[in-house]
Amino acid sequence: MRGSIDGLGSSAPIGMTLPAVFADDELAQRFVGGLDEVLAPILAVLDCLDSYFTPSLAPVDFTRWLAGWVGAETDGTEPDDRLRAAVAAAAYLHRIRGTGRGLSEAVRLVFGVAPEITESGGAAWHAGPLGPVPGDRRPHLRVTLRLPHPTSTDEHRLDSLVAAARPAHMPYTVQVTADGRTPQR
């Protein structure tokens, strides 16, 4: 929750705009000084409003709210850099949603690793009629994610992410495995 900030001065003090008769009136200046203290955070936000809608500059709590507003695929546990990247990419991901590229990018933004995606479909062209139909008869999507240190929640998170980002008609399976590579020294 955003609130007041101790010691924040107003960018437009009300006391300076009062008529001259109140310029030396201590009671009037203290009264509007209290208003300045209450209005200072609001004026500071309005002065920097464009920064609030730039995910790389916005405060983290506002970026989390913005993630829900733009429909970014977040669950509230991701690090700040991944949160900001997901919010920044949300419009692009909505545009390519339901494609292999869109699914791959959504998974990469959440986990930081590109998944292995296999699907049953295909496309082909033949000069004559009745050419072979590419792909499998039954649609299916398989997403495999290799993580250095997988946890039990990773598979659940991947499952919910694939369910939201896959083509609506495709049945799917997900698998999270340990990355077999050893770190190089």
Side-chain angles (χ1 to χ4, degrees):
M1 182 77 166
R2 307 215 62 75
S4 63
I5 301 169
D6 292 336
L8 180 65
S10 177
S11 61
I14 299 172
M16 302 295 288
T17 62
L18 292 177
V21 72
F22 296 112
D24 293 329
D25 186 349
E26 185 181 338
L27 178 63
Q29 291 296 325
R30 284 192 323 201
F31 179 75
V32 295
L35 293 175
D36 283 339
E37 190 174 324
V38 171
L39 294 175
I42 296 169
L43 294 175
V45 168
L46 291 175
D47 287 344
C48 304
L49 191 59
D50 60 329
S51 297
Y52 277 80
F53 295 104
T54 305
S56 60
L57 300 175
V60 174
D61 61 333
F62 191 84
T63 306
R64 289 200 189 284
W65 177 81
L66 195 58
W69 195 45
V70 298
E73 296 289 340
T74 61
D75 66 352
T77 61
E78 55 279 327
D80 294 346
D81 58 334
R82 285 205 194 135
L83 170 71
R84 293 177 190 281
V87 172
Y92 171 71
L93 288 177
H94 288 307
R95 193 167 57 244
I96 62 172
R97 188 179 202 110
T99 65
R101 184 175 64 170
L103 178 60
S104 178
E105 186 65 16
V107 172
R108 188 193 62 76
L109 280 170
V110 170
F111 291 98
V113 176
E116 297 170 14
I117 299 174
T118 54
E119 50 187 314
S120 59
W125 180 87
H126 294 279
L130 302 175
V133 177
D136 296 337
R137 286 194 171 284
R138 300 184 78 124
H140 189 74
L141 174 69
R142 180 175 183 78
V143 179
T144 304
L145 187 63
R146 298 184 191 289
L147 296 174
H149 306 288
T151 64
S152 59
T153 59
D154 289 334
E155 189 159 344
H156 175 70
R157 176 72 176 125
L158 180 63
D159 184 64
S160 62
L161 182 63
V162 170
R166 70 183 164 91
H169 68 284
M170 292 283 280
Y172 68 95
T173 57
V174 297
Q175 181 182 16
V176 177
T177 62
D179 187 4
R181 292 180 280 171
T182 57
Q184 296 187 8
R185 297 179 193 249

